[in-house]
Amino acid sequence: MIKNYGRKYNFSSGPSQIPLEVLGKIKDELFNYQESGMSIMEMSHRSKYFYGVQNNAIKLLRELYKIPNNYEILFLQGGARLQFSMIPLNYFHIGRIAYINTGPWALDAFSEAKKVDEKLCYIANESKEEIPIITEKSLIEDTKFLHITSNNTINGTQYQDYPKIKNVTLIADMTSDILSKKINFEDFGIIYASAQKNLGISGVTVVIINRSLLDKANSDLPASLSYISHFNEDCMLATSPTFSIYVLNLILEYLNNNGQIEQLEKNNIVKAEMLYGIIDNSNGFYRGYAKKSSRSRMNITFTLHSEELNKLFIRLAEEEDIINIGGHHKRGGIRLSIYNWISIEDCEKISDYMIRFMESHK
Ligand SMILES: *Cc1c(COP(=O)(O)O)cnc(C)c1O
């Protein structure tokens, strides 16, 4: 079957697919945004049009994700990676941050914190194939914050339950699973995610931050690195990444019109169960990397018997327009990234391919 516009079955680990409907809307509005006489990219970020877009995106994100009113939503630049630095810069004055190393992104977050002050951060636990259980005993006394990577994009593991430790504020890098399921915001002090995997395109990073924690941020920083300055300036300290926020808003409208987070979470479960089902029923032909109890619904990682067979699996898939399924270079094997906007149909296509490949190569 040939997809619309010759689009492929794209399982990219990020940037990832955008719903066709959203791409169509972008195309329709590109030359003249809502009778403004120009595209959204060509007008002031302080225009009523762009303010409308930004305010609507904040409102929709709050409604759809059920973000309580005592949390603020910031749209920043610099990727998730800048948050690796902003978090220690804004909060080390309060106390120590413990990091859980569950993969390369988690380790990068720790490495950046170390550059700010290596005495104020440490790795409390680490594990590749499974999410460790973190208790008070895992932490050094006086630890004030715990940083986790809620979904480990490269290893294919994901927290099923979040650690809850008295007097320790949880901070989560949700870049690869934000909005994919309902969460209880009261469990978190800060959640951050760049948009290009589950929320739209690169260029904007969403930071959801508890209001009282925002008030306690370091107010002595250069403005671009300060949560307080960004908040006080409506996130328009520098010219906003207007197009990225515009696409984020369209994605949220799309979700609002397509069953909201309840339906999205259901779809994500169906997609992941479909693919893990094939792995589990393959008699070891497909070997999952992650322990079952820690499996990610977003990144399905596995390997076949040999590197040659992995390569053949990838090459023959490409002949069927199934692309971007090779594992991360640090991990090898196969990785199917099935973020929020990958359709059930796309997962059915790769499932069908996996079954046929197994039949002819076992
Ligand atoms: C992709 C990814 C990042 C990097 O995001 P950038 O926006 O490129 O900085 C960070 N953390 C996780 C968990 C990721 O999946």
Side-chain angles (χ1 to χ4, degrees):
M1 188 189 73
I2 297 172
K3 286 176 104 185
N4 279 333
Y5 301 99
R7 287 167 63 77
K8 299 190 175 184
Y9 299 90
N10 175 10
F11 295 92
S12 166
S13 58
S16 169
Q17 284 192 48
I18 307 284
L20 194 59
E21 232 178 281
V22 170
L23 293 175
K25 178 106 182 179
I26 293 169
K27 181 169 176 262
D28 291 345
E29 291 183 334
L30 193 61
F31 294 146
N32 187 353
Y33 178 73
Q34 293 192 356
E35 307 295 308
S36 64
M38 62 197 87
S39 81
I40 196 82
M41 290 181 281
E42 300 169 292
M43 61 175 72
S44 169
H45 53 303
R46 298 187 187 279
S47 62
K48 67 172 185 191
Y49 297 100
F50 184 72
Y51 252 108
V53 168
Q54 174 158 312
N55 290 339
N56 197 58
I58 290 174
K59 176 176 146 279
L60 273 177
L61 184 61
R62 191 180 290 287
E63 280 169 18
L64 290 165
Y65 210 10
K66 304 180 182 22
I67 302 172
N69 284 329
N70 60 330
Y71 284 73
E72 301 293 350
I73 300 170
L74 305 179
F75 292 157
L76 306 182
Q77 301 185 59
R81 191 168 273 280
L82 184 59
Q83 297 310 305
F84 297 170
S85 310
M86 279 181 73
I87 285 160
L89 285 166
N90 279 271
Y91 292 106
F92 266 169
H93 70 288
I94 295 180
R96 219 189 285 275
I97 308 180
Y99 285 81
I100 309 303
N101 177 13
T102 44
W105 290 118
L107 190 60
D108 279 356
F110 169 68
S111 308
E112 293 299 307
K114 229 165 57 169
K115 291 180 196 164
V116 180
D117 190 337
E118 61 183 333
K119 293 184 297 301
L120 288 175
C121 57
Y122 65 100
I123 291 183
N125 203 325
E126 50 194 335
S127 178
K128 259 193 194 158
E129 275 81 27
E130 99 188 293
I131 298 296
I133 293 168
I134 309 300
T135 65
E136 207 173 334
K137 290 202 199 78
S138 323
L139 305 184
I140 297 178
E141 218 181 313
D142 284 348
T143 298
K144 291 284 190 266
F145 301 94
L146 175 61
H147 179 282
I148 63 166
T149 309
S150 57
N151 180 75
N152 295 279
T153 325
I154 293 169
N155 289 334
T157 61
Q158 185 177 26
Y159 284 77
Q160 317 295 323
D161 302 299
Y162 299 107
K164 246 192 207 128
I165 298 168
K166 224 174 91 201
N167 300 324
V168 175
T169 301
L170 190 60
I171 299 175
D173 174 1
M174 288 201 180
T175 295
S176 55
D177 69 350
I178 192 164
L179 207 61
S180 66
K181 59 180 177 181
K182 288 190 283 301
I183 56 170
N184 180 11
F185 279 87
E186 306 298 339
D187 293 346
F188 299 92
I190 303 176
I191 287 169
Y192 64 93
S194 46
Q196 68 274 13
K197 289 169 185 145
N198 276 302
L199 292 175
I201 63 170
S202 63
V204 62
T205 299
V206 174
V207 178
I208 303 166
I209 182 166
N210 178 279
R211 179 63 216 225
S212 69
L213 194 59
L214 175 65
D215 291 337
K216 286 186 211 133
N218 185 352
S219 56
D220 241 4
L221 291 168
S224 310
L225 298 171
S226 157
Y227 287 127
I228 293 174
S229 304
H230 282 293
F231 178 73
N232 288 342
E233 297 291 330
D234 281 344
C235 298
M236 292 184 179
L237 198 57
T239 305
S240 311
T242 48
F243 194 71
S244 305
I245 294 172
Y246 162 74
V247 176
L248 168 63
N249 184 49
L250 292 183
I251 286 276
L252 293 168
E253 282 177 352
Y254 174 84
L255 177 59
N256 197 28
N257 296 332
N258 287 277
Q260 290 126 26
I261 194 162
E262 288 75 14
Q263 187 60 46
L264 180 58
E265 180 168 2
K266 274 188 207 151
N267 292 354
N268 285 335
I269 292 171
V270 167
K271 284 150 52 185
E273 283 183 352
M274 187 191 307
L275 299 175
Y276 285 122
I278 291 172
I279 292 173
D280 291 342
N281 291 317
S282 74
N283 267 323
F285 184 81
Y286 297 115
R287 302 165 191 189
Y289 279 138
K291 291 255 166 69
K292 281 190 184 175
S293 57
S294 300
R295 279 174 165 175
S296 167
R297 280 183 199 156
M298 301 276 104
N299 307 95
I300 317 283
T301 53
F302 58 93
T303 183
L304 289 82
H305 316 177
S306 66
E307 222 16 72
E308 287 75 66
L309 205 55
N310 284 336
K311 287 207 183 93
L312 185 67
F313 181 84
I314 294 168
R315 189 165 62 74
L316 294 184
E318 276 170 13
E319 289 179 7
E320 298 190 29
D321 286 338
I322 298 170
I323 58 163
N324 293 327
I325 63 173
H328 189 273
H329 62 90
K330 288 181 183 161
R331 192 74 242 228
I334 309 294
R335 170 173 55 175
L336 308 177
S337 297
I338 51 167
Y339 301 123
N340 289 341
W341 318 114
I342 309 303
S343 65
I344 292 179
E345 292 70 34
D346 280 17
C347 293
E348 284 167 349
K349 170 74 184 178
I350 183 99
S351 296
D352 173 64
Y353 171 72
M354 285 173 77
I355 291 167
R356 282 187 283 112
F357 186 89
M358 179 168 64
E359 289 309 320
S360 50
H361 293 89
K362 69 181 174 196

